């Protein structure tokens, strides 16, 4: 299958690519990294990415920004970062991508652990993650032509511990190869409408 991976050079993206590459043709995408460039925050850029890639069989997104900060200091603008970037960026990948995927193709989005196991400063991420679960449940029963959609919800990756470990006290890091296999399962398998928890 021909699979687009957005955020391919990030911690999760690299794990997904490592699992997918032996089985599928992977096209790596980032704003400035990868084979193709696109910004999920910009719908026109998403449209241009699909035009360049041609028909694809699967789309994986491992990108999405949120603001981290104390709830008591959160501004509306800071909340909107998670909603416009992590949520609507991935929603737009689906809305635009529906017309570019082959019959029976799939979307695999990325959320994260924080809506089920919250940490301090993480309300923006928890909100975005919950929204993505709702989107995937709703979209899965309406997608045309046998298209599937899932969202992978990993805990903190082992490779991300140096960056995020201090914010996740007591959290067990998740092996990156286990996270990668969740993306392979979503792309190559038959599941749809699922939040694939990896912890
Ligand atoms: N790391 C973890 O432990 C973990 C756990 C659970 C959930 N998550 C979630 O998973 C997502 C990815 O996390 P990560 O830690 O793997 O990120 P990361 O290491 O910071 O990498 C992000 C990747 O996405 C690309 N990217 C960033 N913004 C983009 C945009 N607007 N459009 C297109 N590409 C973009 C970046 O490349 P360019 O700079 O070239 O654009 C980079 O390759 C985030 O939403 C995060 O909240 C992460």
């Amino acid at each position: 299958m021909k699979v687009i991976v957005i955020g391919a050079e990030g911690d999760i993206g690299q794990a997904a690519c490592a699992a997918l590459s032996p089985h599928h043709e992977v096209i790596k995408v980032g704003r400035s990294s990868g084979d193709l460039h696109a910004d999920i925050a910009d719908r026109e850029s998403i449209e241009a990415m699909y035009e360049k890639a041609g028909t694809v069989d699967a789309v994986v997104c491992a990108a999405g920004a949120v603001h981290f900060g104390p709830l008591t200091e959160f501004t509306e603008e800071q909340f909107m970062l998670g909603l416009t970037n992590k949520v609507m960026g991935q929603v737009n990948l689906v809305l635009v991508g529906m017309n570019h995927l082959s019959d029976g193709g799939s979307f695999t989005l990325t959320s994260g652990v924080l809506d089920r196991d919250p940490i301090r400063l993480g309300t923006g991420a928890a909100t975005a993650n919950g929204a993505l679960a709702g989107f995937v449940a709703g979209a899965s029963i309406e997608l045309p032509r046998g298209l599937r959609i899932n969202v992978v919800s990993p805990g903190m990756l082992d490779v991300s511990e140096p960056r995020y470990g201090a914010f996740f006290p007591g959290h067990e890091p998740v092996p990156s190869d286990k996270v990668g296999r969740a993306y392979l399962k979503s792309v190559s398998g038959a599941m749809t409408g699922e939040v694939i928890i990896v912890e």
Side-chain angles (χ1 to χ4, degrees):
M1 282 190 236
K2 189 165 151 188
V3 185
I4 291 180
V5 178
I6 296 126
E9 297 295 347
D11 288 352
I12 292 187
Q14 288 185 42
C17 287
L20 290 164
S21 294
H23 307 279
H24 302 293
E25 176 195 350
V26 171
I27 301 171
K28 298 181 179 181
V29 178
R31 288 164 305 181
S32 55
S33 54
D35 308 313
L36 291 178
H37 295 164
D39 183 349
I40 62 166
D42 176 353
R43 191 173 164 129
E44 283 181 14
S45 156
I46 292 173
E47 285 166 358
M49 174 196 75
Y50 281 122
E51 289 299 333
K52 279 187 208 141
T55 302
V56 294
D57 303 299
V59 175
V60 168
C61 183
V66 297
H67 176 77
F68 284 89
L71 180 65
T72 50
E73 295 170 18
F74 243 94
T75 64
E76 182 173 342
E77 191 182 32
Q78 288 166 343
F79 257 110
M80 288 306 287
L81 175 64
L83 297 178
T84 56
N85 194 301
K86 185 164 183 174
V87 179
M88 283 313 300
Q90 298 196 81
V91 168
N92 278 330
L93 281 172
V94 176
L95 295 181
V96 178
M98 275 188 295
N99 303 317
H100 293 268
L101 258 64
S102 57
D103 290 355
S106 70
F107 296 97
T108 305
L109 311 183
T110 299
S111 59
V113 65
L114 295 181
D115 59 333
R116 63 178 182 279
D117 193 1
I119 58 169
R120 288 194 183 89
L121 315 182
T123 309
T127 305
N129 294 346
L132 285 162
F135 173 70
V136 162
S140 68
I141 63 164
E142 282 202 73
L143 279 171
R145 300 186 290 107
L147 299 178
R148 299 181 297 106
I149 184 167
N150 299 293
V151 58
V152 176
S153 178
M156 178 187 60
L157 273 66
D158 49 11
V159 292
S160 302
E161 196 175 9
R163 268 199 295 167
Y164 299 131
F167 298 101
F168 287 76
H171 282 236
E172 187 76 29
V174 183
S176 297
D177 61 338
K178 191 175 177 186
V179 174
R181 279 198 295 274
Y183 290 87
L184 179 60
K185 187 177 183 186
S186 177
V187 168
S188 303
M191 65 210 303
T192 191
E194 301 235 357
V195 177
I196 306 172
I197 292 173
V198 193
E199 52 192 11

